[in-house]
Structure formats: C-alpha cells, structure tokens
Amino acid sequence: MPEIKVTPLGAGQDVGRSCILVSIGGKNIMLDCGMHMGYNDDRRFPDFSYITQNGRLTDFLDCVIISHFHLDHCGALPYMSEMVGYDGPIYMTHPTKAICPILLEDFRKITVDKKGETNFFTSQMIKDCMKKVIPLNLHQTVQVDDELEIKAYYAGHVLGAAMVHIKVGSESVVYTGDYNMTPDRHLGAAWIDKCRPDILISESTYATTIRDSKRCRERDFLKKVHESIERGGKVLIPVFALGRAQELCILLETFWERMNLKAPIYFSTGLTEKANHYYKLFITWTNQKIRKTFVQRNMFEFKHIKAFDRSYADNPGPMVVFATPGMLHAGQSLQIFKKWAGNEKNMVIMPGYCVQGTIGHKILNGQRKLEMEGRATLDVKLQVEYMSFSAHADAKGIMQLIRMAEPRNMLLVHGEAVKMEFLKGKIEQEFSIDCYMPANGETTTVTTNPSVPVDISLNLLKREMALGGPLPDPKKPRTMHGTLIMKENSLKLVSSEQALKELGLNEHQLRFTCHVQLQDPHSDADTLHRIYTHLKSVLKGYTIQHLPDGTVIVESIVIKVSSSTEDSNTKVLLLSWSYQVQIGPHSTLKKVIVT
Amino acid sequence: MAAHLKKRVYEEFSKVVQIPHEETPAKKLRLSKPSKSAALHIDLCKATNSTDALQYLLQFARKPVEAESVEGVVRILLEHYYKETDNSVRLKIASLLGLLSKTQGFSPDCIVDDAINTLSNEKSHQVLAQLLDTLLVIGTQLPESPALRLRLVEVAYKHLSDTYFGVRNKCLQLLGCLGMVDAPVGKENEGPGTSLGGLRDVQSIISDYFGDQDPRVRTAALKAMLQLHERGMKIHQIIYDQACRLLTDDYEQVRSAAVQMVWVLSQLYPESIVPIPSSNEEIRLVDDAFGKISHMVSDGSWMVRVQAAKTLGSMLQVSPHFLEQTLDKKLMSDLRRKRTAHERAKELFASGEFSSGRKWADDAPKEKLDTNTVNLIASGACGAFVHGLEDEMFEVRIAAVEALCHLARSSPSFAEKCLDFLVDMFNDEIEEVRLQSIHVLREISTHITLREDQLDTVLAVLEDSSRDIREALHELLCYTNVSTKECIQLALLELLKNLNKYPTDRNSVWKCLKFLGSRHPTLVLPLVPELLSTHPYFDTPEPDMDDPAYIAVLVLVFNAAKSCPTMPALFSDHTFRHYAYLRDSLSHLVPPLRLPGRKQVYGLDSVDSGPGSGSVESAQLFLQQSLNRVSTIQNLEASGAQDLLDLTIRDLQRLGELQTELAGAADFCATYLRCQLLLMKALQEKLWNMAVPLCLKQNVTATAAAQQILEETYKLEFLYSGLESRQVATIHHVRLQAKALQLVLTARTRQGLDLLIGSCERFLQDVESFQRLFLTELPHLQDSFVDKLLELMPRLSSCKPVELVKILQTTLRQSGLLQLRLPEQIHRATATIIEPTGESDNPLRFTSGLVVALDIDATLEHVQDPQNTVKVQVLYPDGQSHVIHPKPGDFRKPGPHRHRLITQVYLSHTAWTEPSQIEVRLLLAYSSSSTSLTSPSKLGWSESLESLPAAEAAVEGTIPFSKAVKVFIMPKPARR
C-alpha cells in the first residue's frame, strides 16, 4: 500500500521553528522552514541533519513551501538554502516573497550586529536565497514537476499567508500554516475547497480556546483608547512591526475617521513603513472592505497616522503611539513607556502575548514598581490593559476547516502537546477520522488507498450501456466484461477483441464437453434423430437444428452421437458448449437429456 | 419674427391634419406581414450553408413578429427544421419557436404537436434540451389545458433518462412547472413493469434525481420541487431527509437550493417529530431544520451563507431554547465554570493562554473541566448568528442582522439576548451594516430596556461622523426604554456632546429628547433641579435662551412634565417664561402644559390642547363654508365680489398657518381664488371701455395679471399632490381663461394680423385639447367659460380673428366663477433647506476659477418622484443663475411622503473684491406632458392623450418651492 509520511523537524507538539517534512508518492517536500524565538543556540533552527548527514539537501527534497512571512515559519530559510545547501525550488506567495526578506534582514541585523554572533547568514545569502523563490498565486495550480502539483489557498492570519494543497497523483496533503477563520479589519477568513486530502496538517495554537466575538474585543479596545484620549491621556500600544500592527492601525484609523477625532496617532518608523508599502500593494490579499474601497482610497494610506519622532513623546496633549517591540523589552516602546509610566492618565495597551521576564509580562502581572538598570525604580501609574488580537484559528475554527476540507486523516502541529491531546480527542469523536500529533523527529505514516485511474474504451462503455439499465447509478457498483491491459505505466480497459488485436494474440475458444452414455439399440443416426425430436418437444422456445453432418445444435450446444466401441447398444452422447453458455442454458439441456 | 411664427403655425397646422394619416402606415405594416414570413422562407432557402442560415435566423430574431403571422413563420421554421442537418441551426430554430410562442396574442397550442414530433426524431442532446425549453414556454403560455400538460409531462418523463445533463435539467424544469398539483400523475397508458413503475407521482420522480451524478441536475431537481411547492403542491415529508443530505453536497448551488428546500419543509411540517441520528432523542422538525440551516451559516461559500442567514430569519416557529443557542458560541464550552475556576487559580497565568481578550488569562481552560462537556462542532444551532455577524462578507452580515430582527420581533426574550450582539454591530467597518443594525435595534426596541452599560455603547456611536448613522441613532433613542435616571442623564449628556460637535443635528437631537422626556417622566423628575440648575435658596443666573443645549434640556423637561404634574413646581420663574417662548417658537417640540398659577397661559393652551380631531373638523368646516360663500358669487362683475374674495383669501391663508393638516388644502384654495381675483380685476380695468389706441399704457397691469395667473395655474397643477382630475380640469380651465385674456390683450395692442392669426389658432387648439382631456369632466363645468366657448366652437373655428376676440371678450366677462371642489387629501409640496442655515458670517473662501463644494441638506415633503423633479438653483449676485440636478443617490426616504436631499453643489465664480451673498433655493421642475402621463390619478384619460399633437404637450418650467438661503462666498483671485 502506498504511504504518506510526515515528520515534523520543528513545530511538532511545539510552537516555533515550523518545519515539516512530507513524503508523498515518492516526493519529498519541506513545509516551512522557521526558527525558534526561544533559543539562541543550534536549537534555533530545525535539525536538517535529519534529512542528510552531509552534503546538500537538493537531492533529497523536491521543493520547499513557505506558508507566510513570520520568522517562525521562514527564519531558517537562508540558513538551509545557502549554508546547508539547497538549490531546488522554494515556493511562497507574492506578499510573502516581498516581505520575508525585510524580516530576515532585520533578524540578521539583530543577531549579528547587536548580539555579535558569527557564523550566521549574510545579507547576500538572503538575496541569493530569495532568487530561488518561485511566487505563487492564490488558487493557482503549480506543477512542480510532472507529478507533483501544489495549490495555494487563502489563510487569513497575516498578509500573504497561504494554505497549500499538495497533490501527487490521487494522494494529497493540505498544510495550513497559520490561519484564521474569523476575518479581521484587514484580512479575510481562511477558505478551502472540499478537496478531501489524505492528511490535513493543521496548526493548533488555540486548540483549547473558543474565543469571544471579535467585535467585543474591538469595541473594548476602541472604547479604552477613546476614553483615555478624552481624558487627555497618552496611549502607548507596543506592537510587533507586522501583522497585528496593521490591523490595529486600520481599526484606529477608521475609528478616528468615524468619530471625527483629532488627537494624533503615531507609528514608530523603520521596518513598518517599508512593510506598510507592501500592504498598500497587495490589496487583493486583504478583506472585502479594503478591496472594495481602495479605488477611492487605499485604507493603508493612513490619514491620521503619522510617522513618529522621538521628540513627540514629550509633546503635551493626548496622542496614541504604536511602538515596537511588542513586549516592552527594549527599543522605542520601552523608552516611551518609561516617559509615560508616571502619569495615571496615560495608558498602555498590550495587544499580544508577552514572554516571561519582559516588562510587558511584569506589568500585566500587576507589578507597579519596576526595577530598571542602574538600580533605579520606576513607578507604574499608568493604566495597563490587555487586549488579544491574535489571528489564529480557535478550536471552533479548526473544526470548521476540517468540515470544509473533509480530510481522511488529521495531523496537528504548532501547538502545545496537552492542548493538542484535547483537540485530538474531539476530532476523533466528531469526525471519526484518525488524528496524529507527532513530536519533532517522529514520523507519522498514513497508508492511503489511492484510486487507480483506468482508461476505458468508449465502445466498450457504450456497449455496456446498451445492455444495462437506463443510466449508471452512481451509488451502485456495476460489473462489466472487459480486458485490463497494463502497458507502459498506463491502464486500459478494452473489449477482449480489441485486446487480442492490440497484443497480437490469437483467440482461443474454450469449449466444455461431456459424455453421456445411453442405452439405445438404434443406429447412431436414429438415436440422434430421436434425441432431436425429443428435444424439440421438450425445449420449446429454443432453436434446435438437425444438421446433415450428424449433429444436433441447440442454440450453441453441439450434440453428437457415436456408438461405444465395446457395446453397440451403448451410445455415447457428446455434448460440447462454449464458455459463454456455461452459465446459460446448458444445464437445462443436460437435465433434459439425462431424463 | 412674424414669418417665423407663421411658419410655426403652419407646422402645427400640418400636424393636426396628419392625425388621420397616422393610421395608414399601420395598414402598410399589415400588408407587409405575409411578406415577412415569405422573406424568411426565401432567406432560409437561399442559405447555402449553416452559417448563412444561422445569420438569417439571428437577423430575423431581432425583429418582432406580429401575432397574426406567427403561425406562418412557425410553419416555415419547422419545415426548415426537418431539412436542416446542422445542430446549431436546429438549436436556433428551436429557440426561435420558444420566443415566437411568447408573442402576445398568439396561442401556441397549434404548434405543440409539431414540437413534440420534432422531439422524437431529434438526436442532438443540445437541440433536445432547447426543444424541451420551447415546450416549457408553450406549457406556461397555456395554463388552462390539463390535457396538454399531461402530454408535456409525459414527454418529460420519457426524456428524463437522457444522458445529457441539459435534457434532464429541462425535463425536471418541465415537471416542476407543469406537473399536476392535485392528482398524482399516473402512467396509465404504459404497462406495468416499465422502469418508472405504475402510479408514481411527480414528487417521487423528481426526488429520484436528487442523487443524480451531475450537480446541475441535482439543483434543477431541487428547484423543480420548490416550483411545485410554489404552485401549491404539498411536498411530502419524505423529501426532508433527502434534502438534508444535499446540504452537504460538494456544489454550492445544490447546497443553496437545498437550504431553501429544507426551509420549505420546515414551514410545512413544523411540528412533526424527527429522530436525532446516533441517539434516541427526537425533536421537532422545525428545530432540526433550524439547526441544520444554522450549520450552513458557516458554509464555505458565501452565497450559501447569505441564503442560510436570510432563511433563519423566517423560521419563527423554532423553539426558544434552540433560538437562544444561535447566539451562544460558548454554550458547549461551559464558559462560566471555566471562568470562575480561573479566578481562583491565578497561577495558571504562567501558562499564558490568551483567549477572550478582555483580561490577561481570564479564561485559560483547565482541561479536566472541558474534555467531555465541550462540543466543538455544534450539533445544534450553536453560535450561528455569532458566526454570521462576524462573517467576512458584509452581505452575510446584513442578512444575519435582518434575520436577527425578524426573530427578535417575535420573541421578546430573544430580543433581550441579541441586544449585545446588535450593539456590537454598531462598530462594523461597513456603514451599511452599522446603519442596518441601528434600524433593527429600533424595530425591536419595544421589547427591550437598555441597561446602563448597553446604553453607554449605544451612545458612543453618537459621535460618528456620518449623519445617517447619527440620525438613525436619534431615531433609535426616540423609541428606547431605559431603566434608570442615570441612563437619562447619560443620554442627555451624550446628546449635548453630539450637539456641540455637530450643531447641524440640532433638530434631530431636540426631537430625540422630546421622545425621551415623554417616555420617561418619572426618571426625569429627580433630575430636574440639576438639569435646570435651580437652587433651593439662591437664584441662579438665567441661562441663554438661544443656546441650543439649553433648549435641548428644556425640551426634555417640558415633555416629561406633560405627564408629571408635580414637575412644574420645581421650575423657576424664567423657566416659565422660556416655556411660553418655546411653546410659541417650537410648538412641535414643546407640548402644552397645565401650569398652576399661570392662568393666561393655561387659558390660551386649553384652546389649543382641546381634542385635536375636533379642531381639525371645525377647521374643515370653516374651509368649506368659506368656499361656499365664494361660490355665491355668480358673476365676476358683481359688486362686492372682490372684497369677498379678498377676505376669503386672507382667511384661508391664516387657516393654513394655524391648522397644519389643512395647510395644503387651504393654500390650494387661496391660490385658486387669487387667480380668480386677478382675472376679475383684469377684466374690470377701465381699458375695456377705451378705444384701442389709447389703452396701450394701461393694459400693462392686465398683461401682468394674465401672466401671473398662468404661473399660478402651473403651481396649482404641479405643486400639490392628491389632485383628482376634477381639480386638474378646473385648473386648466383657469389657464384657458388666462390665455383668452392674453389673446384679447394682444388683439388690442398689436396690429399685426399674422401674429393674431397665429395666436388664435393656438388658442383654438388649446380649447380642443382641453375638450379632449377633460371629456369626462365637462358636465361639471356647466355654465363656465369653456362650456360657453364649446357651444360657440363651430362658429369660432370659422370666423375671423377679430370676431373671435370679440366673442372671447364677452364670454370672459359673462362667465361665472367656477366652483372649486376640494379633494380628500391635498398636500403642498414643500422643501426646507436645513443646511446651509444662512446664519454664518464667515464667507466661504475659494480661489476663483476653481470650484467649492457647498453642502446642502433639505427635507422635501409631498414631492412625487423627487429624483427627477427637484433641482437646486444657485443665484449669484450678478444675476447669473445655475440649476443643478442632484444625483438620484442623494435622495433618501426617511418616511412616507418625506424625502431628504443631502447633496453637494459646486460653486464657482470669477473673483470678487468683497464677500457677497449667493442665494440657494430648490426648484420643482415640471413638464406638462410628463407629469400628466405618469401621474396615476390622471391615468383615466391618458389614452386619449396619446393622439395629441406633440406641439401642444410639453410646457416645461420650474417652480421655486423653498425659501432661498443666503450663503456668503468669497472667490479670491488666484495667486501666481
């Protein structure tokens, strides 16, 4: 039986450094090639030595597919392609291809320039790597080689995020990457055909959560910002440069527009501006509202949001500032936070997850006195709010996707093991399909039952149609006669005559014969005649012929009479019939004659 | 000039003569008819190859065919059909047959046999499908022929087993449209043992095709079934299971049709019981269907989602328990338990789950609580609306909001529940959705009482910059019930904030507060001292009476005081004074109050506050009496008649001001009487006794009067709605009189005979057309000017102009006053420009040569078809005037007979040295031809109008019907 093997090198029962190997129909595919944020050593990147101990990966992989531009999905790409060595095709969507290098370059700068690491990929390597990338369009079927084809579906999550459908022959796998089933302010919801893949590899970040309605969250967020602004306070929103930041920007921008507010909104410069440029370009990847209105006005051309300058932080009056990074651990957001922390009118809104040890984590935890470097302490008087704007599918969303795609097997990655366990149980219970959750390096094997396509000759089909009922009933299988020819890797079902002709074989006829002994004193000819008359009287409705050469033919059964060599009274009756009649009328005949 | 006019006269002359000629071309057409089919025949014979034939047929199809010649054409087409070997040509012929049998006045039963015959010989599937389509057309054309139907249905049965999907599609369509509704269709003529079996009804045959391999056929089968339902056949309940299975079909159109089918069945058999698979429980069918359709709200295709969301709204019989699940996404996850568990276990915070998004780690789940109770894929209606309202496509969201509205209206408890969700929708990114949800909330607001926090979120929308949203919200607040006095205070505060931010909302805010006050008198009572800032010991400064915010507060208080007699005791002195002022200036917002110790006010009010209907009746009576009094004037020359008219006009005008319900009627009468008065005065001028050459100067007033009467008649005709043809006739009659007057005056002043001849002709034409138009009304016009004229008509048309003028003059003077009969309802079209207010002293500055946009906001009342008739006129100080046509989209319809025009007009001018005022006003455009044709009240004589010579018809013009508003503008020279 053919098998599909799935081995996560990263993201197996874990979040981070997504990298999943799939071998399907003799093809090896790498899905995502990410890095782990939590490590600074070798564990940062997936263990490519799993594929081969030495040498390049090109011989072992048919293609690499990157689902979206987050570093935990594409961070190890230059390392793999340039340092380990891979020259095959890399597929990603257009926006991913555009934004990915910016993030990689930023990542490189931080690790090399700031932390001073050596033996890291260089800018040139990023460029070289990007040259190998083949861009994908949504719903475009790309033929990687003769047998392997891939197709991208919209995944929400971030700009350009895609789910991929990988197909070899009749076997197929869908990899979701990260996806979001609820639309947000700038992106739509993930969608997929009823493509019935053999395996659906899904992320499961929120395997145990059913989220509240998005609107409540948005409303709360806007209300808090609005109230604070009306009080004359300043609002700090620490964000990571891409993804949520844009959503929040749109949210605030439209709110400002609607409510006719005048307080300035600032966006810390740098990376974001470049990325915003791409958001403006890839309008087709955004949600309905932005797509429909961009002719009048591109929503990403912000009217109220301006670039931030360090000096603005001291300006009097209300303002809203988006600043990086999102966990308040360094950089601009921290600087601003320090300036504003003392005033209770101000507010900081944390729109996402904060790692333990960061200031973001501390203040969310309710700490009101922070120790800064140099033994100084900082009184936190400003209000601290938490607002989740994470764009992963929740448990309901995952179930919804399963319902949409109707997979035969399910495989969970990109989540915590405990939570996966829960979801796995649910999936098995609801859909009664197998669900797997391999750990890193663990291989899951799924046997498939591929249907084998066979060409059938039209004549044969028509003949069969003519024989049978009015229409082929799709629910009932039907048997038919024909010859299966396997030739040069293709299968054909043809009529036997044609098969003989094609293969250059002679037709052999199979005849069944049997001898029946009778005690009859008459001569051979008389006996035959008597049999003939008897049959005529008994078998009405059959054509019975008495041929001059001493045979009686009933339909296609031949009867001959000869005398036994020992006893002339014992007549030997020779019956002979062809294979086709075997099932048919001969039994009756036999019965008749015997009696 | 004269020559030109003469030419025009002859033109018109020739047109009048042409009336009988118009019928001859019709005859010609009839002659050409046989030749048409013949031509087709020749064409088709000529065609050497199929492409040519196809071309001919295509050309032929562009022209309509008359009912009488259809049959001939059909024969020729059929003849050619039999000969034709090319499929595409046969296909075209088949489709033409269908088209032809749709021809009005042609009964297609004669071609049924031929069509069925062709069917049996046809080999091509496509042509077969087209032929069946033709049969379908024929069948629907002949609904009253059961025999034919039976035949067609049988044909459909026969071809159902075709291998081509199109043929099966058409067959199913035929069955759906023509299958017998009452009796099961037997196949009596066929022996037993045929594949379809003996007696089988249409439904089971159609339902066999629910499982067809082709999705298009499945869709067609479902549609055919729905068609049967529409035609009144009761669909069997067995179909339900099959339809439910199709809900999970791979193809969206099948799913969409299946949703409809399931819905139909749920309406037919709401109470029957269906088992739940994989359990022993049973539920009502409508609940089951509701659950299944709810599922479809999270379908992959948005078309299906829209369909499902819409359908949910109409399933009102569903059990409340199911209904409430649609709003509960978390029902199965048992959120409450999870939450309380979490507040105790704060240490779980470290695991860093972020979920509801309100609080850090507020509901990170504890697995052991969930695993068995959480049902992620809802088996019921779980969260359908939560999904629908969060959908990506705004079409789905709108459908969901509407469905919520329908369901909430029938179930108060559901209304209560869906409130939060609707309020959330106020924050949608698409304005249409926001607006819709506000409207919905208003519709269900009778069921609900807003809590403080809910009100808070609702009120937050008051700051929206879209005027539509704000006004919808004001409307909503008018109907809302709130629970506490804090709510009232909150609402008032927010409304005042709104007023401050958007001063143009003044009227709307006041109106809103009026309702808020009258709805919640007891809640307002404790707030009064604070609101009016009175103090028990000290006199507080008197607030500024012109402050809109203060007026707003007073409107709230006074309306509450109406049903709360203890409240006026809390008022301070100036409040009473302000009351008296507001009662007079804003009487529509401030109700009459019983104020103790204010006798004079009380006395005055009691008159007004008497039973409203009675006062209307008395006013009506008064109006009628005035009219009757006027009708006593027999002769226009009678002494005292003028005084009487003068008085009556004054009375009527005052009446219109006092009684708004009768304003239209009173105005109408007054205008009419003014016309009469003018006519009377013109006729009594001394000039009639003078010699012609002497009166050149004096007749200026008479000419002006004639002109004015003409204008007034157009106003009468087009400014008022609700006129009957009787009144229209009267108006036209006055117009005719005015024209006669004009003619007489022309005759007296100008000596050019040509001119006079022309005018006479035109006048006679007018009289004729009047006669034609108001033939039915003529009996009512006895003894009038027209009546007399018509008597003299034979003489008039033959006599010389001078003689004609003389006759006219005497008839005019002798004819009596035509009595005006009032129709039931008569309304004057009015327009009020709300914005610009004309109060601003800051000029609108712009660079000359460029444009500046001026926002215009106006309400129109009783204007029919404002999109075509209402224009904006801009008058510059130098006399230039521009007329601007607003876009149709700029008109909104907030209520019956009310329109709202919100538009922008673009101004431009060359540079001025000083800011100066331009005038903006609204015009009502009219055209005598168009309105008389379209207006439904005059349809009775519109047939006769068609034969009118075109020259008479269109008189176009505009009537200003709003007060002009002045706007300061200042075009500056461009700086180089």
Side-chain angles (χ1 to χ4, degrees), chain A residues 278-295:
Chain A
Y278 288 112
Y279 272 81
K280 272 180 225 168
L281 284 181
F282 293 108
I283 284 297
T284 42
W285 288 79
T286 53
N287 72 4
Q288 188 195 21
K289 155 94 176 170
I290 299 178
R291 273 194 322 245
K292 287 207 167 150
T293 55
F294 90 100
V295 181

Side-chain angles (χ1 to χ4, degrees), chain A residues 183 185 191 194 196 206 209 212-215 219 258-259 288 365 386 396 403 419 426 430, chain B residues 248 250 298 300 330 349 353-355 371 374-377 389-390 394-395 424 427 464-465 501:
Chain A
R185 286 288 167 150
W191 180 86
K194 218 172 247 198
R196 302 196 171 91
Y206 283 145
T209 313
D212 217 343
S213 116
K214 186 133 204 145
R215 299 192 182 280
R219 202 187 58 207
R258 266 180 56 202
M259 294 305 184
Q288 188 195 21
N365 221 358
Y386 173 73
K396 271 235 152 166
R403 211 152 63 89
K419 297 179 179 176
K426 285 291 152 197
E430 296 282 349
Chain B
T248 54
D250 283 9
S298 49
K330 299 166 293 249
F349 164 52
E353 180 78 19
F354 35 128
S355 47
T371 33
V374 179
N375 192 0
L376 287 178
I377 197 159
L389 294 177
E390 275 186 21
F394 84 94
E395 291 90 342
D424 277 350
N427 211 1
D464 202 300
S465 60
K501 202 164 175 184

Side-chain angles (χ1 to χ4, degrees), chain A residues 263-432:
Chain A
I265 309 176
Y266 296 112
F267 208 128
S268 69
T269 45
L271 182 57
T272 330
E273 263 180 296
K274 243 189 251 168
N276 263 353
H277 175 63
Y278 288 112
Y279 272 81
K280 272 180 225 168
L281 284 181
F282 293 108
I283 284 297
T284 42
W285 288 79
T286 53
N287 72 4
Q288 188 195 21
K289 155 94 176 170
I290 299 178
R291 273 194 322 245
K292 287 207 167 150
T293 55
F294 90 100
V295 181
Q296 287 92 36
R297 183 182 156 211
N298 194 322
M299 292 275 276
F300 291 105
E301 269 159 26
F302 300 122
K303 213 188 266 175
H304 300 272
I305 302 178
K306 292 160 216 124
F308 184 70
D309 186 274
R310 192 158 301 187
S311 60
Y312 292 169
D314 297 323
N315 284 0
M319 66 171 86
V320 180
V321 175
F322 287 96
T324 51
M327 296 184 196
L328 282 181
H329 51 276
Q332 207 159 34
S333 60
L334 186 62
Q335 283 172 9
I336 301 171
F337 177 76
K338 280 185 199 161
K339 272 189 185 153
W340 291 357
N343 193 339
E344 65 274 3
K345 274 203 272 181
N346 296 345
M347 181 189 280
V348 59
I349 298 180
M350 309 295 298
Y353 175 72
C354 286
V355 167
Q356 203 162 13
T358 58
I359 293 184
H361 185 263
K362 281 179 197 157
I363 56 170
L364 278 176
N365 221 358
Q367 217 169 314
R368 301 308 276 183
K369 256 196 173 38
L370 297 175
E371 287 176 22
M372 308 313 274
E373 59 268 22
R375 254 188 266 157
T377 53
L378 183 68
D379 278 328
V380 182
K381 284 186 187 153
L382 85 179
Q383 295 178 57
V384 179
E385 294 287 350
Y386 173 73
M387 221 30 84
S388 161
F389 277 93
S390 198
H392 290 271
D394 63 356
K396 271 235 152 166
I398 296 171
M399 297 305 246
Q400 202 184 333
L401 188 83
I402 299 174
R403 211 152 63 89
M404 266 189 186
E406 295 190 0
R408 291 190 192 88
N409 294 283
M410 193 63 201
L411 194 142
L412 299 177
V413 293
H414 199 281
E416 290 161 40
V418 203
K419 297 179 179 176
M420 279 187 183
E421 200 72 54
F422 162 75
L423 189 66
K424 176 173 183 262
K426 285 291 152 197
I427 292 171
E428 282 170 351
Q429 176 194 335
E430 296 282 349
F431 297 100
S432 46

Side-chain angles (χ1 to χ4, degrees), chain B residues 704-724:
Chain B
Q707 192 57 43
Q708 199 185 343
I709 296 169
L710 270 184
E711 272 166 28
E712 296 280 345
T713 57
Y714 284 117
K715 270 192 202 169
L716 282 175
E717 186 173 355
F718 297 105
L719 209 51
Y720 294 89
S721 59
L723 297 184
E724 289 158 13

Side-chain angles (χ1 to χ4, degrees), chain B residues 374-638:
Chain B
V374 179
N375 192 0
L376 287 178
I377 197 159
S379 54
C382 231
F385 280 119
V386 181
H387 274 294
L389 294 177
E390 275 186 21
D391 199 277
E392 184 184 357
M393 311 302 279
F394 84 94
E395 291 90 342
V396 183
R397 297 200 295 269
I398 285 198
V401 167
E402 271 162 15
L404 267 185
C405 171
H406 289 297
L407 291 169
R409 265 191 300 197
S410 64
S411 155
S413 67
F414 183 70
E416 196 85 31
K417 285 226 164 57
C418 73
L419 188 65
D420 279 331
F421 291 88
L422 278 176
V423 172
D424 277 350
M425 293 307 285
F426 285 12
N427 211 1
D428 195 273
E429 54 193 334
I430 295 202
E431 183 170 326
E432 226 174 313
V433 182
R434 296 201 291 270
L435 204 56
Q436 183 66 28
S437 40
I438 294 175
H439 284 312
V440 166
L441 196 56
R442 191 193 71 217
E443 280 182 53
I444 62 174
S445 54
T446 43
H447 288 310
I448 48 179
T449 305
L450 286 176
R451 288 193 319 267
E452 203 167 331
D453 58 322
Q454 288 165 332
L455 188 72
D456 196 32
T457 32
V458 170
L459 290 172
V461 188
L462 273 178
E463 287 190 50
D464 202 300
S465 60
S466 154
R467 175 193 284 271
D468 286 329
I469 296 272
R470 289 199 309 270
E471 292 195 346
L473 204 71
H474 293 155
E475 197 98 334
L476 163 67
L477 285 176
C478 289
Y479 293 97
T480 317
N481 303 314
V482 295
S483 45
T484 60
K485 74 174 170 70
E486 281 76 24
C487 290
I488 293 281
Q489 200 165 16
L490 196 67
L492 179 69
L493 236 110
E494 290 290 331
L495 282 169
L496 290 182
K497 223 188 261 160
N498 171 3
L499 197 61
N500 195 22
K501 202 164 175 184
Y502 306 100
T504 47
D505 283 359
R506 203 167 59 181
N507 287 316
S508 171
V509 167
W510 287 344
K511 199 179 119 214
C512 174
L513 282 167
K514 170 188 168 186
F515 282 97
L516 209 59
S518 55
R519 262 173 182 270
H520 308 285
T522 47
L523 296 180
V524 175
L525 184 62
L527 289 172
V528 168
E530 195 187 332
L531 291 178
L532 298 177
S533 55
T534 48
H535 194 276
Y537 311 125
F538 304 117
D539 272 346
T540 45
E542 183 174 331
D544 177 15
M545 198 53 239
D546 289 331
D547 182 11
Y550 179 61
I551 296 179
V553 173
L554 286 185
V555 166
L556 175 75
V557 172
F558 289 148
N559 278 290
K562 192 184 174 193
S563 45
C564 184
T566 54
M567 205 181 283
L570 297 167
F571 294 174
S572 52
D573 279 347
H574 54 77
T575 315
F576 290 109
R577 266 186 282 122
H578 293 164
Y579 166 74
Y581 170 67
L582 286 181
R583 175 77 192 110
D584 202 42
S585 61
L586 294 172
S587 51
H588 60 289
L589 292 172
V590 179
L593 291 181
R594 293 170 174 277
L595 297 179
R598 293 257 152 185
K599 280 286 180 263
Q600 72 277 38
V601 180
Y602 172 75
L604 194 138
D605 283 341
S606 68
V607 178
D608 275 357
S609 64
S613 59
S615 72
V616 173
E617 269 164 34
S618 68
Q620 186 101 46
L621 196 68
F622 176 75
L623 182 65
Q624 202 54 53
Q625 279 168 351
S626 318
L627 285 182
N628 289 344
R629 203 165 50 219
V630 173
S631 69
T632 52
I633 306 172
Q634 289 299 325
N635 194 335
L636 288 175
E637 305 223 320

Side-chain angles (χ1 to χ4, degrees), chain A residues 513-516 552 557-562 571-577:
Chain A
T513 52
C514 86
H515 296 271
V516 180
V552 169
I557 302 170
V558 181
I559 303 171
K560 272 185 179 167
V561 177
S562 58
K571 303 287 179 215
V572 179
L573 219 62
L574 180 84
L575 282 105
S576 163
W577 64 93

Side-chain angles (χ1 to χ4, degrees), chain B residues 723-730 773-774 776-777 937-938 941:
Chain B
L723 297 184
E724 289 158 13
S725 76
R726 175 95 179 258
Q727 283 83 42
V728 180
T730 322
L773 287 179
F774 302 106
T776 49
E777 299 296 331
S937 63
K938 297 158 200 163
W941 40 268

